[in-house]
């Protein structure tokens, strides 16, 4: 299964970051009652924009199997933090909640 991380601006849903563009490595894991994302990336203008809008971002994991979307998971970052670690050369995001969507959830 392939997982793709996308960060969107909460207003208008503009894509600010897409891990598939440049095959940017990332990890995420549950920590306590939330989730921590670590994106291994230089501090590019794209990352600066995520940081500038850090109070207005939505984080998504898109899961695909054999090229077919099987799940979209939205992680809520409003209660968490979005920061950049110069020491790790990584964008670090903490999310407090998640909601999973599956194909067909909103079809009539």
């Amino acid at each position: 299964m392939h997982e793709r991380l996308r960060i969107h601006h909460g207003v208008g849903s503009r894509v600010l970051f897409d891990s598939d563009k440049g095959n940017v490595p990332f990890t995420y894991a549950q920590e306590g009652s939330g989730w921590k994302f670590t994106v291994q990336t230089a501090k590019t203008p794209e990352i600066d924009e995520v940081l500038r809008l850090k109070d207005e971002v939505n984080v998504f994991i898109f899961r695909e199997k054999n090229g077919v979307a099987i799940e979209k998971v939205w992680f809520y970052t409003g209660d968490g933090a979005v920061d950049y670690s110069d020491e790790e050369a990584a964008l670090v995001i903490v999310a407090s909640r998640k909601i999973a969507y599956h194909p067909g959830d909103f079809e009539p």
Side-chain angles (χ1 to χ4, degrees), residues 50-62:
V50 170
L51 293 169
R52 186 179 76 79
L53 298 169
K54 69 183 182 177
D55 294 329
E56 303 172 5
V57 297
N58 292 317
V59 176
F60 295 93
I61 292 288
F62 291 87

Side-chain angles (χ1 to χ4, degrees), residues 46-79:
E46 184 177 48
I47 297 304
D48 284 336
E49 184 71 350
V50 170
L51 293 169
R52 186 179 76 79
L53 298 169
K54 69 183 182 177
D55 294 329
E56 303 172 5
V57 297
N58 292 317
V59 176
F60 295 93
I61 292 288
F62 291 87
R63 295 187 176 122
E64 297 179 352
K65 190 171 188 176
N66 300 323
V68 177
I70 60 170
E71 186 175 55
K72 175 176 81 171
V73 184
W74 171 59
F75 291 86
Y76 179 72
T77 60
D79 298 342

